[in-house]
Structure formats: C-alpha cells, structure tokens
Amino acid sequence: MTTDENSLQAAVPQDDLRLEKFLPYRLSVLSNRVSNAIAQAYGTRFELTIPAWRVMAILGRFPDLSAADLVEQTAMDKVAISRAVSSLFKNDYISRSEDPSDRRRQVLNLTELGREVYERIVPLAQQYENDLMSSLSPEERQQLDSIIEKLMDRAQAWADRGLID
Amino acid sequence: MTTDENSLQAAVPQDDLRLEKFLPYRLSVLSNRVSNAIAQAYGTRFELTIPAWRVMAILGRFPDLSAADLVEQTAMDKVAISRAVSSLFKNDYISRSEDPSDRRRQVLNLTELGREVYERIVPLAQQYENDLMSSLSPEERQQLDSIIEKLMDRAQAWADRGLID
DNA sequence: CATAAGTGGTTACATTTGAAACCAATATTA
DNA sequence: TAATATTGGTTTCAAATGTAACCACTTATG
C-alpha cells in the first residue's frame, strides 16, 4: 500500500498501527502458539500443566527448595506455585517434607516417579526447543538470545519504575 | 557451574534443562511482562482489555469488517472477538450495523468516540513499542523481525501438521 | 422448493487465573 | 515475654478464557 512497506526503523510515528507488526502483539501470538503446542504435549502424556512442568524442571536441578524459593526461580506467583505443587503432590511426582527449623516451610523434592517423568520430559522439551531453533542459523540463535535479554530488562524496568508516563 | 556456561549451539542434548535458557519459557515471561504492562495502561485509562484494543486497532485501519473478518486478522478466536465486540459496543466505541445482503453478518465500525479513543491509544501503544525497541540497535530490530517470522512459521507448522512425534 | 449442510455470531458451562484475605509459625521490638 | 510485624503457604471469590452447544440465516443438493 504505502511506499515504505518495509521501513524498519519507524522512528517517525505513523498514524495507523499495524497490529501484525506490533511487537507486543507478535510476541503474544508467538508465545501462545508455542505454549499451547507444548502444553498439549505435556498434558496428554503426563497430565502436567505448564506451571507444574516448570516446577518439576526446577526441582529436577535443585533439590530441597521451598515454594518461596520456586517463586524466586520461576517468575510465577505464590498462588500458581501453590497450586502446581499440590497437584504434583497429588500425582506423587513430588514430596513435601516439613522443615524442622521452620515449621511453616515445606521442603520439596521429586519422588522416584517424579524423577522418571522428569527424565522423560526433558528430552521432549528439548526436542521442541531444538525444532524451533532449527529454523534459525547459529548467528540468529545468538542474536535472539541477546535480544530477548535486552527486551526483558526493558520490560522489567516498566514494572519496577512504574509505567510510561 | 559447568565450563561451557555460554555454549549457544546446544546441539548436544544436556541432561538437565535450564528453564531460564529455555526458549518457550523465556518467550512466555517476556510476552507476559510486556502484555501486563500495556494492559494496565489501556485498562486504567480507557477501560479496554487487550482483545478489545486489538479489535479497535484493526477497525481503525479497516472499516466495515465483520466479526469473522476480525477473526482472520487477529489470530483471536470467535468467542474472544464476540466478547470484545459486545463490550466495545456497550462503551459506544464501535457501531454494529446489519449487512443487508446477509442478515447474520454485522458490519462493524468505530464510532466518533471510538475513533477519538483510537487516536489517543495509537501513540501510547507506539510509545511502548518504541521504548522496547530503543533497547535494540537498528540491526537488532531487523534481526528480531525476521527471527520472529521464522519462529512463528515453525510453531504454526506444529499446529497444522500435528505435534512432534 | 424442501431438506440438508454450512456460516456468522452468541450463550452456557467448566476451567484457569489473579487479587486479596487469611491462618499458622517465626522474627522483632518494647 | 507480651505485643507487633513479617513470612510461608493456602483458600476464597471474582474475572478471564476455552470448548462445545446453540440459534438464525444462507447456500447447496435432491
């Protein structure tokens, strides 16, 4: 339509907003597509939601964490963790044991069963990631890594310092 | 911890999965941070949800669309569109008029009020996007654009052809 | 032109999610 | 050591979201 169809700088604000070029929108669509596909894979095979899978992924690497520790590691909130933990516990994927030095705190670990599942999911997850990554060149992967980091910091700054304006 | 801290290729599958390096996870965190910030900006100022804003963004550029047309343009589903449309209608941001040639179809347009709001939001949205983009160099913006496109295609392929395995 | 099949859009219901209130245990302060 | 504040974690309630059923209308098929 316009002559500068592929102008990438867009330093000059346009009157219209092209949703399909709007970064927040594109990130959302991409993330949803990816998450939905993966959620379905985990869900159908292991009755695992994404939050639950995240908890397992962390506990697989770091034993003896509490729910609060998980909050720190996952960017998920208390409630989501609490729900994920109790569903994992119900499925016998993790154990909760009381911390003797602080009786509010529960020490979490994968059970044997949990670890078996974990060890089957990790390659599956890696397969999805590799499949995604296989559409990119090594340079692009490197670029993506650093770009995400930068965007993440910037978006984090919004939350910290309050929004724009 | 390990010596290959910054190995980017990761062609060799590792035993552990580092959530903080796992692309689907990072995309999700990034997208949520961005969306939440923006949703709050729209929400507090104009009582607009993200789906509603998307509908307005499209109608601002393309008048006389139906709900089905919006589905095509937005990657949102029927129901989400329907709800966004009726809330926008309630707020007098859009008009619905019956298509004489097909009485099921409703032709949607921004009202005067809707267009005013639209014209105030567009710069706001662009401000957010520019702020995000300002953390990237021109080359990086270009790279991101093409990387997202590739990842999107790949993730779409999952949905089309069915999942991996 | 009657019936079946398809399309545009909404409604109903179940599930997920988030915010705030909440309980129990621990840490702090007077 | 009593009173208060803080922290770990769960529950409650309301809002957001997805799936499937659904109505109204239109198109295709006999």
Side-chain angles (χ1 to χ4, degrees):
Chain A
M1 312 303 175
T2 66
T3 55
D4 57 344
E5 190 71 46
N6 286 315
S7 156
L8 285 154
Q9 291 273 7
V12 178
Q14 301 174 296
D15 280 359
D16 278 331
L17 188 144
R18 300 172 172 246
L19 202 56
E20 72 280 9
K21 291 280 170 200
F22 186 54
L23 184 59
Y25 172 72
R26 296 170 83 196
L27 285 176
S28 163
V29 172
L30 176 59
S31 169
N32 284 340
R33 276 191 195 166
V34 171
S35 290
N36 289 340
I38 296 187
Q40 196 180 327
Y42 299 163
T44 59
R45 293 168 214 221
F46 308 100
E47 303 188 56
L48 226 48
T49 62
I50 293 226
W53 149 245
R54 287 182 184 169
V55 167
M56 291 192 72
I58 299 289
L59 286 180
R61 280 174 64 212
F62 306 111
D64 295 324
L65 297 187
S66 68
D69 297 332
L70 289 171
V71 169
E72 260 189 61
Q73 300 265 343
T74 53
M76 294 163 58
D77 79 270
K78 275 171 92 127
V79 180
I81 295 283
S82 170
R83 296 200 255 241
V85 163
S86 62
S87 98
L88 288 170
F89 181 73
K90 219 173 284 171
N91 291 344
D92 261 312
Y93 287 176
I94 66 175
S95 64
R96 296 161 141 164
S97 61
E98 202 183 59
D99 180 343
S101 76
D102 182 341
R103 281 162 45 230
R104 293 167 303 185
R105 197 165 175 280
Q106 301 188 338
V107 178
L108 306 173
N109 278 293
L110 294 182
T111 59
E112 291 247 337
L113 175 58
R115 182 153 295 275
E116 278 172 34
V117 170
Y118 171 77
E119 270 157 13
R120 289 171 60 202
I121 294 190
V122 167
L124 180 63
Q126 282 166 340
Q127 205 183 338
Y128 274 97
E129 187 181 38
N130 287 340
D131 192 66
L132 267 186
M133 290 299 199
S134 72
S135 62
L136 306 181
S137 71
E139 300 77 41
E140 285 174 322
R141 292 174 207 179
Q142 154 89 274
Q143 290 159 2
L144 178 59
D145 183 64
S146 109
I147 288 171
I148 288 182
E149 218 55 54
K150 290 178 184 178
L151 295 177
M152 202 83 93
D153 289 348
R154 182 59 69 146
Q156 183 58 51
W158 293 349
D160 295 344
R161 295 167 206 160
L163 302 176
I164 295 176
D165 266 356
Chain B
M1 314 306 175
T2 66
T3 55
D4 57 343
E5 190 71 46
N6 286 313
S7 156
L8 286 152
Q9 291 272 6
V12 177
Q14 300 174 295
D15 281 358
D16 278 331
L17 187 143
R18 302 174 170 242
L19 201 56
E20 72 279 10
K21 290 280 169 200
F22 186 54
L23 184 61
Y25 172 71
R26 296 172 83 198
L27 285 176
S28 163
V29 172
L30 176 59
S31 168
N32 285 339
R33 276 191 194 165
V34 171
S35 291
N36 289 340
I38 295 187
Q40 197 180 326
Y42 299 163
T44 59
R45 294 166 214 225
F46 309 99
E47 304 189 55
L48 226 49
T49 62
I50 293 227
W53 148 246
R54 287 181 185 170
V55 167
M56 290 193 72
I58 299 288
L59 287 179
R61 282 174 63 212
F62 306 111
D64 296 323
L65 297 186
S66 69
D69 297 331
L70 289 171
V71 170
E72 259 189 62
Q73 300 265 343
T74 53
M76 293 163 59
D77 81 88
K78 275 172 92 122
V79 180
I81 295 284
S82 170
R83 296 201 255 238
V85 163
S86 60
S87 96
L88 288 171
F89 182 72
K90 219 172 287 169
N91 291 343
D92 261 312
Y93 287 176
I94 66 173
S95 64
R96 298 160 140 163
S97 61
E98 204 182 58
D99 181 343
S101 76
D102 183 342
R103 281 161 45 228
R104 293 168 304 184
R105 200 165 173 278
Q106 302 188 336
V107 179
L108 305 173
N109 278 292
L110 294 183
T111 59
E112 292 249 336
L113 174 59
R115 182 153 296 275
E116 277 172 36
V117 170
Y118 171 78
E119 271 157 14
R120 289 171 60 201
I121 295 190
V122 167
L124 180 63
Q126 282 165 339
Q127 204 181 338
Y128 275 98
E129 188 182 37
N130 286 340
D131 192 66
L132 266 186
M133 289 300 199
S134 72
S135 62
L136 306 181
S137 70
E139 300 77 43
E140 285 173 322
R141 292 173 206 181
Q142 153 91 273
Q143 290 160 1
L144 178 59
D145 183 64
S146 111
I147 288 172
I148 288 181
E149 219 54 55
K150 290 178 184 176
L151 295 177
M152 202 83 92
D153 288 348
R154 180 60 67 146
Q156 183 59 49
W158 294 348
D160 294 344
R161 294 169 208 162
L163 302 177
I164 295 176
D165 265 357

